[in-house]
Amino acid sequence: MANVQENIARLFPEATFEEGEWLLVNIPDAKWHSLAKTLKEDPEFGFDYLVAIVGMDWTETLGCMYYLTSTTHNTHVSVKVTTSDRENPMLHSISDLWAVANLYEREVYDYYGIIFINHPDMRRLFLRNDWVGYPLRKDYNDDPNVNPVRLDHEAVDDVTVSYVEDADGNIEKKEVTIFRPEDFVVNIGPQHPATHGVLRFRTAVEGETITKIDLYLGYIHRGIEKLCEGLGYPQTLHFTDRLDYLSAQQNRHCLCLCIEKALGIEVPRRAQVIRVMMDELMRISSHLLFMGTFCMDLGATTMLFYTLRERETILNIFEKTCGARMTFNYNCIGGIMDDIDADFVKDVKHLIEIMPAAIKEYNTIFTGNVIANNRMVGVGHLSKEDAISYGATGPVGRASGWACDVRKTAPYSIYSELDFDEVVLHEGDCMARFVERIEEIKQSLRILEQLVDNIPDGEICAKVPKVIKLPEGHWFQQVEASRGAFGVYIESHGANTPWRVKFNSPCMNLAGVVDHLTRGSKIADLITIGGTLDYVVPDIDR
């Protein structure tokens, strides 16, 4: 970390630094793109993975917090860039350096009105294009009369705008074509079952071949990050179960870890073990549902009934302990809500016992099927470099050769003590993404085997204040959710409510790579590719 700071200071004397879990670099916007290019392309730094962009309103200034990771050196840095112009805020885009910044910057524009210079597509991302104002600004007018419930459909955009900077530093607003009048454009979604949620692809085709996809998000946007700003920290927890509901345990674990880190709370060992077991049960449950629904998308309906059989066993375990089968509300600040059910150990051992034979059945039914292989092998190839650039983490990234498991790269809870392998495949196609999840189920079972007979006695929750106030500061925490790296950013000004909460979802990045993966493919391949990406729309829209 010291070397990173010294090298940045040598190249960019304007930069100032703040120590923390991630080194924070403050840089003027005029130097930001140059610094970003150096951080990414200079092998001395190698920050090739843009983890998150967090839009911020500090009342006097607007700006962004950027989180970067080097996949080569496993080092981290954060960068803060601000503007004092609230009437016409502008920052320089880095979408030419990291593909994932395309959606990240559009999200910031949607919520804060910050225009990114040289970004190719400055449209809103989640809200309607006729929305008035920028809702995450502190001076936003939330009068319902300003943005009444509209019963008409928003106008469809075939053009967008880009704010282009010339060599003299002048900014010119230019119109950019999304679809030409002669393009044949069809809607896939938002009511199509194979989009796995209320998601819309405006798809240009030539015959059966896809030439371009324009992604429309926000159909189930609920304003969760805005709602968090008016709630106490314990009240924010229940939102996480309702993002990626198939990663409910891991998401809530992440938010609790972030708050506990800020408060300096040590979670009892018993609670830590139970949390990890719940996370791995959740991962197996999610992968089983993926396998069943994906095979059904391809016409192999039988497979769904096989995978649901084992998934029901896991949901029964959850129900006995949590009282629910979907939104569990189990983790709490300092530990867990309630102790495990009396049958928990017996039921987990039963699951461990039946899964090897079940996995063998899955492979017999589907993985070796000649039709499945024709539909999946070599289809939707994603290179390691593109996976990193698009921020496609989780099973998708690992199937492309990227070792991106947060449990290994930045271990949290007790994962550093456990013996399990990070499964990394290199084919990068649909079949690799399918096989990746089967192999990950086996590793989750290994973790459960190590813990099921080693759940210690003791407390299940640390003592926490009745009214939780985080000290002034900001914190960022990641966990390995079922679909990839899930992150939580919290900024506190010392009150009992957060100044800013940002949920960094893996699924938005997965949806963002669809256009890249499907160009030149057939419409039928879109269903295959989208299925193996396995995004969950509430996690995108938030």
Side-chain angles (χ1 to χ4, degrees), residues 49 393-394 398 403-412 415 420 422 477-481 484-487:
Y49 170 32
T393 56
R398 289 188 286 279
C404 56
D405 193 326
V406 181
R407 298 172 297 174
K408 292 288 189 180
T409 59
Y412 53 95
Y415 277 109
F420 67 101
E422 179 176 7
Q477 176 68 45
Q478 284 187 296
V479 302
E480 185 64 30
F486 177 82

Side-chain angles (χ1 to χ4, degrees), residues 236-237 240 251-259 488 490 503:
T236 64
L237 296 180
T240 53
N251 291 354
R252 193 169 170 115
H253 191 179
C254 186
L255 180 53
C256 288
L257 283 172
C258 196
I259 296 169
V488 172
I490 296 176
F503 295 115

Side-chain angles (χ1 to χ4, degrees), residues 269 272-273 411-420 450-451:
R269 177 74 182 188
Q272 290 192 52
V273 171
Y412 53 95
S413 189
I414 62 168
Y415 277 109
S416 60
E417 306 169 22
L418 300 174
D419 180 23
F420 67 101
Q450 294 168 58
L451 296 177

Side-chain angles (χ1 to χ4, degrees), residues 273 276-277 414 418 447-455:
V273 171
V276 167
M277 293 184 73
I414 62 168
L418 300 174
I447 292 172
L448 291 172
E449 279 185 300
Q450 294 168 58
L451 296 177
V452 70
D453 286 323
N454 294 294
I455 304 173

Side-chain angles (χ1 to χ4, degrees), residues 272-287:
Q272 290 192 52
V273 171
I274 294 171
R275 278 180 171 183
V276 167
M277 293 184 73
M278 290 296 189
D279 285 1
E280 296 311 313
L281 288 168
M282 190 86 248
R283 195 179 321 279
I284 297 170
S285 165
S286 173
H287 288 352

Side-chain angles (χ1 to χ4, degrees), residues 318-535:
F318 284 146
E319 186 174 23
K320 285 182 180 180
T321 290
C322 308
R325 301 171 73 83
M326 191 168 182
T327 50
F328 306 104
N329 300 317
Y330 190 55
N331 285 271
C332 64
I333 300 168
I336 52 178
M337 287 282 193
D338 201 359
D339 214 338
I340 52 177
D341 183 76
D343 294 335
F344 182 81
V345 170
K346 173 176 67 70
D347 291 344
V348 171
K349 285 183 175 180
H350 174 66
L351 177 72
I352 294 169
E353 182 183 344
I354 65 173
M355 280 306 297
I359 291 171
K360 189 175 180 180
E361 278 186 313
Y362 307 154
N363 286 323
T364 301
I365 294 167
F366 188 79
T367 314
N369 184 287
V370 64
I371 299 174
N373 277 265
N374 289 339
R375 292 289 304 275
M376 298 166 69
V377 174
V379 174
H381 179 264
L382 180 67
S383 69
K384 177 183 176 181
E385 293 72 25
D386 284 340
I388 296 171
S389 183
Y390 281 91
T393 56
V396 173
R398 289 188 286 279
S400 294
W402 179 18
C404 56
D405 193 326
V406 181
R407 298 172 297 174
K408 292 288 189 180
T409 59
Y412 53 95
S413 189
I414 62 168
Y415 277 109
S416 60
E417 306 169 22
L418 300 174
D419 180 23
F420 67 101
D421 298 326
E422 179 176 7
V423 180
V424 179
L425 306 177
H426 298 277
E427 293 83 358
D429 58 7
C430 288
M431 181 57 80
R433 293 191 278 274
F434 184 86
V435 172
E436 174 72 27
R437 291 177 174 90
I438 294 179
E439 295 303 314
E440 287 192 7
I441 289 174
K442 295 177 183 177
Q443 297 306 316
S444 292
L445 291 169
R446 279 181 67 186
I447 292 172
L448 291 172
E449 279 185 300
Q450 294 168 58
L451 296 177
V452 70
D453 286 323
N454 294 294
I455 304 173
D457 296 329
E459 297 293 325
I460 59 168
C461 191
K463 291 183 178 179
V464 298
K466 290 184 178 179
V467 177
I468 294 176
K469 293 184 179 181
L470 267 57
E472 286 197 34
H474 60 267
W475 301 267
F476 185 67
Q477 176 68 45
Q478 284 187 296
V479 302
E480 185 64 30
S482 304
R483 278 152 196 78
F486 177 82
V488 172
Y489 173 92
I490 296 176
E491 181 154 328
S492 168
H493 287 189
N496 62 346
T497 57
W499 182 260
R500 173 78 163 105
V501 174
K502 160 72 174 171
F503 295 115
N504 201 54
S505 71
C507 291
M508 186 166 84
N509 302 354
L510 298 176
V513 79
V514 170
D515 177 46
H516 171 72
L517 289 183
T518 55
R519 289 200 182 197
S521 299
K522 303 298 183 184
I523 289 179
D525 293 333
L526 169 61
I527 307 306
T528 307
I529 292 167
T532 58
L533 294 174
D534 194 29
Y535 44 76

Side-chain angles (χ1 to χ4, degrees), residues 291-307 365-366 369 371-372 375:
M291 290 160 61
T293 54
F294 171 72
C295 294
M296 186 172 65
D297 285 345
L298 265 62
T301 310
T302 306
M303 185 72 159
L304 177 66
F305 300 106
Y306 279 83
T307 58
I365 294 167
F366 188 79
N369 184 287
I371 299 174
R375 292 289 304 275

Side-chain angles (χ1 to χ4, degrees), residues 38-141:
T38 302
L39 290 175
K40 181 176 188 288
E41 297 179 356
D42 189 331
E44 193 172 23
F45 298 111
F47 288 103
D48 51 349
Y49 170 32
L50 176 59
V51 180
I53 300 178
V54 183
M56 290 296 303
D57 182 355
W58 290 286
T59 63
E60 292 184 1
T61 60
L62 295 165
C64 292
M65 299 284 289
Y66 298 83
Y67 284 85
L68 302 168
T69 290
S70 167
T71 62
T72 304
H73 309 301
N74 197 27
T75 51
H76 313 280
V77 69
S78 58
V79 183
K80 181 178 179 180
V81 186
T82 64
T83 173
S84 58
D85 185 353
R86 297 186 66 88
E87 294 301 316
N88 189 31
M90 288 189 172
L91 299 175
H92 282 82
S93 172
I94 53 172
S95 59
D96 58 323
L97 301 173
W98 292 277
V100 71
N102 194 309
L103 289 185
Y104 281 168
E105 290 176 350
R106 283 181 61 191
E107 179 183 22
V108 174
Y109 169 69
D110 201 0
Y111 293 158
Y112 290 93
I114 299 174
I115 292 168
F116 288 88
I117 301 165
N118 296 323
H119 189 286
D121 183 3
M122 272 285 92
R123 284 179 296 163
R124 288 189 180 272
L125 185 63
F126 295 112
L127 303 178
R128 290 172 59 111
N129 51 23
D130 55 1
W131 190 271
V132 179
Y134 303 100
L136 262 63
R137 284 200 188 189
K138 297 302 178 181
D139 56 2
Y140 172 68
N141 182 1

